[in-house]
Amino acid sequence: METLKHKKILLGITGGIAAYKSADLCRQLKTAGADVQVVLTTAAAEFITPLTMQALSGNPVHQHLLNPEAEAGMGHIELAKWADRVIIAPASADIIARLAAGMANDLLTTLCLATEAPIALAPAMNQAMWRDPRTQDNCARLESLGMTIWGPGVGDQACGDSGPGRMLEATELAQLIAATFDKGRLCGKKITITAGPTREAIDPVRYISNHSSGKMGYALAQAAVDAGAEVTLVSGPVNLPAPRGVDLRRCDSADAMLAACLAGVNECDIFIAAAAVADYRVADVANQKIKKSADKLTLELIRNPDILATVAAHPQRPFCVGFAAETEQVTKHARDKLQRKGLNLIIANDVSQPDIGFNSDDNAVTLIDQQGDLALGPAPKQQLARQLIDAIAQRYENNAS
Ligand code: C5P
C-alpha cells in the first residue's frame, strides 16, 4: 500500500446499500497516504451523508455539477484533471449504463468524460440486475473503452437474494487501487509504435491511402504506457484521440513516418510496427492540381521504404515486432515475413474474417516467433492490446537475458 502515498484518488459513490463500505475504503486510502476527493451522486447521498465522507476524506464533498460555490473552489474540470485515478464504488447499474452511453448529466459522469485518469468501477447491485444482458453489454463497452471492472463478489445480498452483485470489500479494493500504481514491467523502457495508414500525395489535393483505423496501434500505445513504458506513437492520419501519456508524432507519408521512426531509433528498446504503410507512392507528385482532360490517366508508382525492415536492419536495432495481415495461409506467410524482415516477433491476423482486424473494434491474432505460436483473442482491441504488450514484454525480457 506504500504506492498510495500522495496519490490523488477521486472516489465516486453512487446509490446503493454498499455505499457504507465506501466510508471504510476512503479511510483505508487516507491511512495509506492518499489524498481523496469524494463525489456523491444524488442517490448516494440517500445512503451515506456528505458529512461522513467529508470527515473521512478531510476534503469538502462534491455533489453538484452546476454549483457556483463549488465551481469557484475546485471546478469540475479542475477536479477531473487533478485525479490520478477515478474509482467508482459502489457502481450502480445506472452509472454503468450512463457511462457506457457517454452521458454527462451529473457531476460524476461529467468528470468521467473529462478525466484522462484511468477509471475503475466496483459494481454493486441485485444479482438479476447484474446478470441482465444490458448491464453485461454496458460493462463490456466500458472495458473496451479502457475502464476496469473490479468484481462483483458472489454471496448473500442485502435484498435477500444470493448471487453475483456484492461490492468487493474495502480492503480488497484498496489493494487493487494500490496495485495500479505499481511500476509496470516495461518501466524505464522506450517503445516506438507506428499506427494508422499513410497518405501518399498524387497532387496538392489528392492522395492514395487505405482503410486502417489506427485502433490497434493506439490501443497498444495505451497498454504500453499503462505497463510503465515511455511511448512514442508515430501516427498516420486517423480519427482517434491521443492516448494518455504518449509522445504523439503525427505524419502523413511513409517517408515522413520512416524519418520519425529513425529519429529515435538509437534509444528505442522495442519497436512495434502496427501501421498500414502504403507499399507504393507516386513517382512524380504534381505541383498543381491535375486537371481532367484525357480519358485515361496513368500514374507511375514506386516502392515505398519498408519502415520495419529498415529499423530491424539498423546497427542499434531495437527488439522488432511486426504485424502480418493475411487472407490465406496466415501463419506460413507471417513466418516468411518474420524471416525476411529480420524480426524478433510477428503478430499475424486473418483479415479474411469479417468481424475482426482492419477497421473493426475486435481482433484475434497469433504471435509467432522462434518459440512457436500463441493464439490470442478474439477480444476488443483494448483488451487484446494489454495481452499483447504483456506477451511482447515477456519475449523482450527473454531475449535480453
Ligand atoms: O509486408 P507487409 O506490409 O505485409 O508487412 C507488414 C508489417 O510491416 C507491418 O508491421 C507494417 O507496419 C510493416 N511495414 C512497414 N513499412 C512498409 C510496409 C510494412 O513498416 N513499407
Side-chain angles (χ1 to χ4, degrees):
M1 302 275 274
E2 185 60 18
T3 52
L4 282 173
K5 222 175 218 153
H6 307 306
K7 295 299 187 305
K8 298 173 190 142
I9 311 291
L10 200 155
L11 175 60
I13 304 180
T14 70
I17 185 60
Y20 78 91
K21 295 190 199 171
S22 305
D24 190 22
L25 173 60
C26 179
R27 191 189 55 77
Q28 292 200 29
L29 295 172
K30 285 290 289 178
T31 308
D35 192 357
V36 183
Q37 299 273 354
V38 175
V39 177
L40 292 184
T41 61
T42 310
E46 300 288 330
F47 289 90
I48 193 154
T49 72
L51 195 60
T52 304
M53 296 314 299
Q54 177 176 316
L56 290 169
S57 67
N59 284 314
V61 167
H62 310 268
Q63 285 183 270
H64 306 290
L65 181 58
L66 305 170
N67 179 339
E69 218 172 281
E71 287 295 302
M74 196 184 241
H76 66 279
I77 298 295
E78 206 178 330
L79 199 51
K81 288 188 176 152
W82 170 87
D84 291 323
R85 297 286 185 275
V86 175
I87 313 301
I88 305 181
S92 60
D94 179 66
I95 190 92
I96 290 171
R98 286 190 292 134
L99 289 180
M103 288 175 75
N105 58 347
D106 66 1
L107 180 60
L108 188 54
T109 46
T110 304
L111 287 169
C112 288
L113 268 189
T115 193
E116 290 190 10
I119 300 173
L121 297 98
M125 66 196 74
N126 166 268
Q127 53 81 25
M129 292 169 75
W130 171 253
R131 288 193 172 111
D132 190 283
R134 286 161 292 189
T135 303
Q136 291 302 310
D137 284 354
N138 290 333
C139 284
R141 171 84 183 127
L142 295 186
E143 285 188 302
S144 77
L145 291 168
M147 298 186 205
T148 311
I149 310 280
W150 286 328
V154 180
D156 292 340
Q157 303 199 295
C159 56
D161 279 5
S162 182
R166 284 172 58 89
M167 186 171 100
L168 298 185
E169 298 304 321
T171 309
E172 200 174 349
L173 286 175
Q175 282 165 355
L176 285 167
I177 298 165
T180 67
F181 290 102
D182 282 347
K183 285 198 169 96
R185 68 191 300 180
L186 288 172
C187 185
K189 300 296 169 209
K190 292 192 174 170
I191 303 195
T192 299
I193 300 175
T194 67
T198 63
R199 267 183 197 170
E200 310 300 331
I202 297 172
D203 66 17
V205 295
R206 302 182 180 97
Y207 56 81
I208 297 171
S209 191
N210 60 62
H211 288 296
S212 166
S213 64
K215 282 179 190 161
M216 195 65 234
Y218 274 57
L220 283 168
Q222 191 63 77
V225 167
D226 292 344
E230 210 177 297
V231 179
T232 303
L233 177 61
V234 181
S235 173
V238 296
N239 282 318
L240 295 172
R244 170 177 35 80
V246 306
D247 175 9
L248 179 63
R249 310 272 169 95
R250 294 181 200 277
C251 53
D252 256 24
S253 64
D255 266 342
M257 190 175 269
L258 176 63
C261 292
L262 288 178
V265 73
N266 293 349
E267 293 175 354
C268 179
D269 297 295
I270 301 175
F271 182 74
I272 306 174
V277 183
D279 290 323
Y280 293 89
R281 68 174 180 276
V282 176
D284 292 306
V285 179
N287 290 328
Q288 305 297 335
K289 186 178 169 193
I290 300 171
K291 293 285 172 204
K292 52 177 172 293
S293 52
D295 282 346
K296 270 192 180 174
L297 173 70
T298 305
L299 290 173
E300 191 189 349
L301 301 180
I302 53 171
R303 275 292 283 269
N304 260 333
D306 191 304
I307 300 170
L308 177 56
T310 310
V311 170
H314 193 275
Q316 280 145 307
R317 76 191 288 281
F319 184 87
C320 287
V321 183
F323 273 80
E326 307 291 345
T327 53
E328 37 117 37
Q329 298 190 63
V330 179
T331 38
K332 180 186 174 296
H333 287 146
R335 214 168 261 293
D336 288 350
K337 227 164 260 184
L338 178 81
Q339 295 280 323
R340 187 160 29 87
K341 300 198 186 203
L343 311 180
N344 300 90
L345 175 65
I346 195 147
I347 300 163
N349 60 335
D350 183 349
V351 285
S352 68
Q353 297 181 44
D355 300 336
I356 57 167
F358 236 56
N359 218 359
S360 99
D361 289 332
D362 290 1
N363 206 352
V365 298
T366 308
L367 266 73
I368 300 170
D369 67 359
Q370 306 301 349
Q371 292 175 28
D373 299 1
L374 171 69
L376 296 176
K381 283 181 179 172
Q382 269 90 356
Q383 198 181 317
L384 189 70
R386 285 195 291 270
Q387 291 178 284
L388 278 173
I389 288 295
D390 216 40
I392 291 168
Q394 193 199 339
R395 282 157 179 79
Y396 168 77
E397 287 156 12
N398 290 347
N399 188 63
S401 62

